[in-house]
Amino acid sequence: MTLSAAALHAEESRWKFEGFWEHRTFTYFRPAETGETQAEADSHLRGKLTYQFKNMSLAVAPDLWIDSHGRMDRQSASLSDRTDRRPAVSSSELTLDFRTASLDLRVGKQQIVWGRADTWNPTDNVMPFDYLDLVETERIGVAAVRARRYFNSASLDLVWVPRFSPTRLPLLNARWYPRLQSPSALPLRFRSRARFPPTTAASSQLAIRWDHTAHGWDYSVSYFNGWNDIPNFALLLVSPAASSGGPATPSLEVNLQRSFRRIQVVGGDLAVTPAGLGVRAEAAFFRPQKGALDFSPGEDRDYLLYALGMDKSWGDWTLLAQVMGDIAFGSGGAVFPPQAATLRFPDRGLGHSLLGRLEQSTGPRASWSLTAVVRLQAGDSLLEPEYQYQLAQAWKLSAGVHLLVGSRTDFLGQYRNNSRVYIKLRQSF
Amino acid sequence: MSKASDPGENPRQIPRRGGRPLCLLSALCLPPSVFRLLISSFRLPLSTFCLPLSVLLLAGVPPGSVRAQAALEIMERVDQQARCSSRQYTGSLEVYDRGGKVLRKAWLSRRKGFGGESRSLVRFTSPPEVRGVGLLVLAHRGVPSDQWLYTPAIRRDRRIAPQDRSVRFLGTDFSYEDMQEREVADYQYSLIGEEASGAGSFFKIQAVPNKNLRSQYAYLYVWVDKNLFVVTRTEFYRDKELSKTLAAGKLERIQGIWTALELEMKDLKRGSRTVVRMSDVQYNKFLSDDLFTLRNLRDGDR
């Protein structure tokens, strides 16, 4: 009887393991002002093990990172993802799922992705980003409880995030950290510390989303009440940097404190396909907590982010165009007024931008694409031509260029020394 | 839906005539449509079909009209023989590039309903790069179908425009149009003639898509086996240039439906070809409505 039951359970259970390994090399055209090498490499191994049993499943997705340039923290294994460097060992997912006829419940560290626009999603605020490399961004899973209830062609998501996870910013004094102009002739050296919100019930985050499909339209409305995972910066001290022995370049040391604003976001998105076009729209109204947390009083202004895009495919070609906008309400100052554009991250730095992508499949194994992000007022841009080739059944090779151009006082132009070529080799399993 | 009420419990329903769906290239899923084109069974002796044609010819009906009427009836027979309330199979395909290098893919296909009113879901199972990628198609008679493509790597389902018909499906030589369900009335037919070879005797039919179909093809030539009423070969023309060919092989009668278990699509311009093999084909099986939802598309057939 016991053996029969065990055999029955074995039949009803299901193990699944999948993942990939990717190795990337980057060669920069110019040396970094921060003194980093022009050649970098990193490797990422991700596996995902899923065990399914009747209407429950357990999933764990460990991540292993190594790199040549110190952005990974080789000493730590972490699930919290609050570290400045990316942990060498972590888990992007660790979830327990429970499923009934009309309800999905997921508990644990998970990936929650919202929005229907391409690449840039104003309503996608539950899960933070990893901006250690501002072009090759990653997502950071959040510890959350998510319930999704289905109603015929609609669904309602309820998300509770008890513990805050911040977006991981570029490392201080490194290639991708925003370039701020020194008030003197001396270069700036930054120090920073974070003040995270407390992990209490009152400090937890809530999100809700109603998603509906009807008459050829997909749309959703959503509400998020939580923390902006991009911090505000408070200037604590500017002083001549003390050298720790030996001759050093004189510099000004800037001590910044990262703090986080409570924020409410009301948003919506839409996808429809009239006359052979894919049309996608997404917008969100952000209402940050009021009051000066920092030396940039303008940062508490309400603002609206929106994206409107179209895509068209024909034959072996795909074309995508999307405009992305940012409207701020009220008035206020800005951080380092002459260069407010530089102390931004993609969430707002890519407002007032045009995204374009042209892709062609040149055979069963090969394709190329050209992606461009052009900021409409300043004209600084990112261009990325890329070629992909399927080497073998599970092996893919990609090669391309990240070309950053523009003025050093603009969001993308400040990184023009970071233009580079790359090669990626990926094995999926 | 209760099991008793499911169409799958009423196999081989007699199809309505007129305005019914054809699968000119129907459902391989990977290509549902191509698949349906190549499956058929026959119920009526061939003479019952040929008689009206002879009568019409003797009656002095203009040959053009005769050829059109005859071709239409042949294609309706092809469609009729392929009818089923549901279908499930596992498929594998090999995509050969111009140099003969091969990429292999595998998938599970499910379809419920038929032609203009059907739901289908294709889920790729290998290689790892595309594992979990799914295409959900809800076809509605007289209006464009709803289509979503789910990509696990970005965890998003994306509504895609059904008119993107010339686009290759995941790097194969099949386009989305090749995979779409069709109505018989979507084409104008003409019987070109009859051909015989060592493989059998065939009707050769020209099918011209109606303008409202917005087809990438100017016309097709279709070879129908005179005994089985199965399409065994199709040529696809863009303008007046032969663009693709599709050949069917390994015909087996499964649950009363003649089924081509092997298909080969050649893209003459690109110099590539895709070979599709089907196994575990099941017709008229009960398939829950829950399989054809966005929830299931995202969840990977759990």
Side-chain angles (χ1 to χ4, degrees):
Chain A
M1 182 69 179
T2 306
L3 285 176
S4 301
L8 182 64
H9 287 175
E11 285 177 9
E12 291 175 351
S13 68
R14 194 168 61 176
W15 289 95
K16 190 167 72 173
F17 183 68
E18 57 196 353
F20 66 86
W21 167 75
E22 185 173 67
H23 182 74
R24 309 183 295 186
T25 62
F26 300 95
T27 305
Y28 293 85
F29 298 146
R30 297 177 186 169
E33 293 174 355
T34 48
E36 294 158 288
T37 62
Q38 280 180 256
E40 294 177 350
D42 61 36
S43 277
H44 180 198
L45 176 66
R46 170 176 290 173
K48 184 173 181 181
L49 179 66
T50 307
Y51 174 71
Q52 191 170 334
F53 181 78
K54 293 184 176 175
N55 59 345
M56 299 178 71
S57 65
L58 183 67
V60 57
D63 287 90
L64 301 175
W65 283 92
I66 56 170
D67 77 336
S68 66
H69 44 286
R71 291 193 195 120
M72 313 305 161
D73 187 349
R74 296 182 187 179
Q75 308 301 318
S76 80
S78 172
L79 287 175
S80 80
D81 281 319
R82 283 187 174 183
T83 55
D84 291 340
R85 296 173 195 271
R86 190 179 299 157
V89 180
S90 64
S91 179
S92 53
E93 288 179 72
L94 180 57
T95 57
L96 177 65
D97 282 33
F98 179 73
R99 181 182 166 106
T100 69
S102 59
L103 179 73
D104 289 349
L105 182 66
R106 175 169 291 177
V107 180
K109 189 174 181 183
Q110 55 189 286
Q111 310 264 322
I112 299 172
V113 181
W114 286 358
R116 289 192 162 89
D118 285 285
T119 306
W120 192 77
N121 298 97
T123 64
D124 192 10
N125 295 295
V126 177
M127 196 165 65
F129 286 83
D130 182 323
Y131 287 150
L132 281 178
D133 183 319
L134 278 182
V135 178
E136 299 280 347
T137 60
E138 302 280 336
R139 299 304 295 266
I140 299 173
V142 287
V145 178
R146 191 196 74 186
R148 176 175 289 169
R149 173 80 161 83
Y150 290 90
F151 307 89
N152 294 323
S153 57
S155 64
L156 178 68
D157 271 23
L158 288 170
V159 179
W160 179 57
V161 183
R163 185 173 186 274
F164 172 71
S165 293
T167 280
R168 180 174 290 121
L169 298 180
L171 293 178
L172 293 168
N173 311 306
R175 249 181 209 284
W176 293 102
Y177 199 73
R179 183 176 182 275
L180 299 176
Q181 201 171 46
S182 172
S184 74
L186 297 176
L188 300 178
R189 300 289 295 173
F190 292 97
R191 288 180 180 276
S192 171
R193 67 184 186 204
R195 189 174 63 195
F196 295 114
T199 304
T200 62
S203 180
S204 62
Q205 305 176 90
L206 286 170
I208 183 169
R209 183 178 193 239
W210 172 260
D211 192 25
H212 192 209
T213 292
H215 309 297
W217 295 64
D218 296 351
Y219 69 90
S220 78
V221 291
S222 59
Y223 171 73
F224 173 73
N225 187 338
W227 298 92
N228 188 346
D229 51 40
I230 302 284
N232 290 123
F233 295 89
L235 185 63
L236 298 181
L237 181 66
V238 177
S239 61
S243 64
S244 55
T249 307
S251 59
L252 280 181
E253 184 170 283
V254 180
N255 280 287
L256 298 172
Q257 176 164 285
R258 288 173 283 148
S259 52
F260 297 86
R261 284 185 191 276
R262 195 82 192 175
I263 198 164
Q264 295 183 72
V265 184
V266 179
D269 60 36
L270 170 72
V272 65
T273 53
L277 285 176
V279 177
R280 292 162 228 287
E282 188 170 338
F285 176 77
F286 293 74
R287 187 170 180 78
Q289 173 191 352
K290 304 303 176 190
L293 285 176
D294 50 33
F295 58 105
S296 54
E299 294 301 304
D300 66 356
R301 283 189 289 171
D302 298 344
Y303 59 97
L304 176 78
L305 303 181
Y306 63 89
L308 176 63
M310 289 186 292
D311 59 82
K312 172 74 179 171
S313 299
W314 70 99
D316 295 323
W317 295 82
T318 300
L319 177 66
L320 181 151
Q322 178 172 288
V323 64
M324 301 175 289
D326 178 350
I327 301 170
F329 301 95
S331 60
V335 184
F336 294 117
Q339 7 171 293
T342 60
L343 190 54
R344 289 288 189 209
F345 299 95
D347 63 322
R348 298 200 61 186
L350 294 181
H352 303 296
S353 297
L354 185 66
L355 166 71
R357 181 176 170 86
L358 180 65
E359 185 174 350
Q360 185 197 15
S361 165
T362 55
R365 291 169 167 266
S367 65
W368 67 269
S369 63
L370 176 64
T371 306
V373 179
V374 181
R375 295 183 72 240
L376 290 173
Q377 290 173 346
D380 50 328
S381 0
L382 164 67
L383 299 174
E384 183 186 6
E386 185 184 65
Y387 181 76
Q388 292 193 346
Y389 188 78
Q390 195 81 32
L391 289 171
Q393 195 67 12
W395 292 83
K396 182 189 267 186
L397 183 71
S398 308
V401 179
H402 292 140
L403 193 61
L404 290 141
V405 295
S407 163
R408 305 204 71 161
T409 58
D410 292 318
F411 173 63
L412 292 171
Q414 66 181 314
Y415 301 114
R416 64 188 187 187
N417 273 10
N418 293 353
S419 293
R420 61 190 178 182
V421 296
Y422 63 82
I423 296 174
K424 301 175 187 173
L425 180 64
R426 184 184 180 105
Q427 183 195 15
S428 302
F429 53 85
Chain B
M1 176 183 287
S2 69
K3 188 172 180 179
S5 65
D6 187 84
E9 296 302 292
N10 185 15
R12 307 307 308 273
Q13 293 171 319
I14 303 300
R16 289 179 290 110
R17 291 183 65 86
R20 71 192 175 199
L22 156 71
C23 346
L24 220 214
L25 291 179
S26 39
L28 165 61
C29 252
L30 178 195
S33 46
V34 175
F35 184 62
R36 273 184 49 209
L37 172 66
L38 297 166
I39 57 179
S40 182
S41 63
F42 62 96
R43 293 170 178 163
L44 302 174
L46 186 59
S47 58
T48 61
F49 162 74
C50 292
L51 182 61
L53 176 59
S54 309
V55 170
L56 286 169
L57 285 169
L58 291 170
V61 177
S65 302
V66 174
R67 289 198 297 267
Q69 180 62 28
L72 177 62
E73 292 196 16
I74 293 168
M75 296 312 296
E76 286 182 337
R77 285 287 301 278
V78 170
D79 183 53
Q80 185 178 356
Q81 314 315 328
R83 275 188 174 269
C84 57
S85 60
S86 73
R87 185 197 59 237
Q88 174 176 308
Y89 69 91
T90 56
S92 65
L93 64 82
E94 296 168 349
V95 186
Y96 294 86
D97 65 13
R98 193 181 291 271
K101 292 182 179 174
V102 61
L103 282 179
R104 293 181 174 83
K105 297 181 181 180
W107 71 95
L108 173 67
S109 170
R110 291 187 175 114
R111 193 198 71 208
K112 186 170 185 174
F114 195 81
E117 289 292 341
S118 65
R119 288 162 284 177
S120 62
L121 177 63
V122 184
R123 176 86 60 193
F124 277 80
T125 52
S126 78
E129 184 79 16
V130 298
R131 185 190 298 134
V133 170
L135 175 70
L136 175 66
V137 179
L138 306 183
H140 315 291
R141 183 161 292 140
V143 295
S145 58
D146 291 310
Q147 298 186 13
W148 294 268
L149 187 70
Y150 177 71
T151 310
I154 57 173
R155 297 166 193 275
R156 289 183 195 274
D157 54 88
R158 183 178 177 86
R159 176 180 281 274
I160 56 175
Q163 288 86 355
D164 292 347
R165 290 170 171 164
S166 61
V167 176
R168 293 179 189 285
F169 184 73
L170 290 176
T172 69
D173 291 294
F174 293 91
S175 68
Y176 280 85
E177 177 176 1
D178 300 334
M179 298 168 57
Q180 281 180 335
E181 302 283 336
R182 292 296 159 73
E183 307 278 340
V184 170
D186 284 340
Y187 293 81
Q188 300 296 319
Y189 305 98
S190 180
L191 180 61
I192 302 298
E194 299 180 16
E195 295 181 0
S197 70
S201 300
F202 305 93
F203 297 114
K204 181 180 179 182
I205 292 171
Q206 184 188 52
V208 180
N210 293 337
K211 286 189 176 176
N212 62 2
L213 203 60
R214 294 182 182 175
S215 174
Q216 63 186 300
Y217 305 117
Y219 56 90
L220 297 79
Y221 284 129
V222 177
W223 280 259
V224 178
D225 188 296
K226 291 174 72 172
N227 293 317
L228 305 181
F229 281 86
V230 176
V231 176
T232 57
R233 177 177 170 80
T234 306
E235 292 181 350
F236 304 80
Y237 288 81
R238 283 184 170 177
D239 299 325
K240 291 184 178 177
E241 187 179 354
L242 180 58
S243 170
K244 292 181 183 176
T245 64
L246 177 67
K250 289 194 177 176
L251 291 174
E252 280 188 19
R253 198 170 191 194
I254 300 173
Q255 295 176 254
I257 296 178
W258 283 100
T259 306
L261 295 179
E262 190 169 300
L263 306 172
E264 182 181 55
M265 178 73 97
K266 287 183 179 174
D267 186 324
L268 304 179
K269 183 180 176 186
R270 198 165 71 155
S272 57
R273 63 191 175 98
T274 299
V275 178
V276 176
R277 295 184 179 85
M278 281 160 278
S279 59
D280 302 324
V281 181
Q282 298 176 67
Y283 294 110
N284 303 315
K285 176 186 178 183
F286 171 75
L287 297 176
S288 166
D289 288 346
D290 292 341
L291 291 171
F292 306 98
T293 61
L294 284 171
R295 181 189 192 188
N296 190 53
L297 178 69
R298 296 166 186 145
D299 288 352
D301 292 315
R302 291 195 306 173

